[in-house]
Amino acid sequence: MRLARTRRTLLAALFAPLALLTPTTAHAAPAAAGNLPARHAPGETATLPVRDALAQLTVADEDRTGYTRDKFKHWTDADKDGCNTRAEVLLEEAVTAPEIGPKCALTGGSWYSPYDDRYLDSASQLDVDHLVPLAEAWDSGASAWTAKEREAYANDLDDSRALIAVSAASNRSKADKDPTEWLPPYTPYWCEYVTNWVADKTRYQLRVDPAEHNALATRLADCPDRPITVTFAR
């Protein structure tokens, strides 16, 4: 079943206060703010300020040895409705709903790309971005996961921050870069971007390298210390 997502029209209208918004509430009762559990099970939830979440991520050098994109099976059709993960995100994030044709071909519709503050009127103009790129996830701990865990990561529809429909141009500019090398061209989105990056890394307990940690800390120092709610995926 498709999951509800915040429409891009809301992002367009609410950029100024976006950093103050609370993320989508997850399933389990949250842990006390500021206290991530030392041990957790998939589905367990915690809420804490984003700077505290960053401070609790493991800082370690990253290693891309052995990475290939096909280690993450992606764009699957988990609910067997004929629309794969990419199409599900496009359908959920459409400002104006497209028509769905055979094999989930999408025609018409419109979308908002928050990375570069653009409205787009064709699904072919959009990519679905893994907020924390697959290569970055591999570097940060996913190399030790099972193939099924990597598939779940690559098709994560359970947290609306994990996958985002953006212009193909902005996504390809980003490629597999972390925030030391790339931030969205639209600067009012920076606080939202780095906050969601920390949330996604927390959800999967991925590491950050020293330069990445410093870049995130520097950027977050200029942002509200917004509480994030995270449901652990593993």
Side-chain angles (χ1 to χ4, degrees):
M1 181 174 293
R2 300 185 181 107
L3 304 174
R5 288 172 178 254
T6 303
R7 295 290 185 187
R8 291 296 152 227
T9 47
L10 292 179
L11 282 172
L14 300 177
F15 269 124
L18 250 178
L20 301 176
L21 295 178
T22 302
T24 303
T25 303
H27 319 302
N35 293 296
L36 272 176
R39 295 179 180 274
H40 57 81
E44 189 171 3
T45 299
T47 299
L48 74 169
V50 63
R51 293 176 201 161
D52 288 354
L54 175 60
Q56 294 188 35
L57 292 176
T58 299
V59 179
D61 291 335
E62 297 176 356
D63 182 3
R64 193 157 296 186
T65 302
Y67 169 75
T68 57
R69 191 170 174 81
D70 61 9
K71 297 285 179 68
F72 293 80
K73 184 179 179 181
H74 55 286
W75 304 163
T76 59
D77 180 10
D79 60 6
K80 308 300 181 187
D81 68 349
C83 294
N84 66 17
T85 301
R86 180 183 187 277
E88 297 280 12
V89 174
L90 291 173
L91 288 165
E92 290 155 7
E93 296 193 352
V95 174
T96 305
E99 294 184 6
I100 306 173
K103 299 183 179 179
C104 204
L106 304 182
T107 56
S110 65
W111 290 264
Y112 178 72
S113 169
Y115 284 2
D116 47 4
D117 190 30
R118 293 176 60 195
Y119 282 93
L120 304 165
D121 59 8
S122 171
S124 65
Q125 297 174 300
L126 293 119
D127 283 350
V128 171
D129 182 39
H130 293 93
L131 177 67
V132 175
L134 302 181
E136 170 70 20
W138 177 273
D139 297 351
S140 308
S143 60
W145 297 354
T146 67
K148 278 294 184 185
E149 287 174 321
R150 289 194 289 269
E151 179 180 341
Y153 177 85
N155 297 277
D156 187 358
L157 291 172
D158 291 333
D159 188 318
S160 63
R161 296 165 290 204
L163 297 170
I164 180 170
V166 295
S167 71
S170 65
N171 186 50
R172 292 166 198 184
S173 170
K174 173 184 173 180
D176 58 10
K177 301 179 180 76
D178 73 20
T180 65
E181 302 174 288
W182 190 91
L183 287 168
Y186 187 53
T187 57
Y189 194 67
W190 283 3
C191 285
E192 184 76 0
Y193 183 80
V194 295
T195 295
N196 289 349
W197 183 282
V198 172
D200 207 26
K201 284 224 161 177
T202 299
R203 173 167 163 76
Y204 285 90
Q205 292 294 274
L206 293 168
R207 301 185 295 269
V208 290
D209 68 39
E212 177 189 357
H213 179 275
N214 291 342
L216 290 165
T218 298
R219 186 58 54 200
L220 287 171
D222 294 329
C223 301
D225 194 15
R226 163 183 158 187
I228 58 172
T229 297
V230 177
T231 298
F232 295 101
R234 57 183 310 279

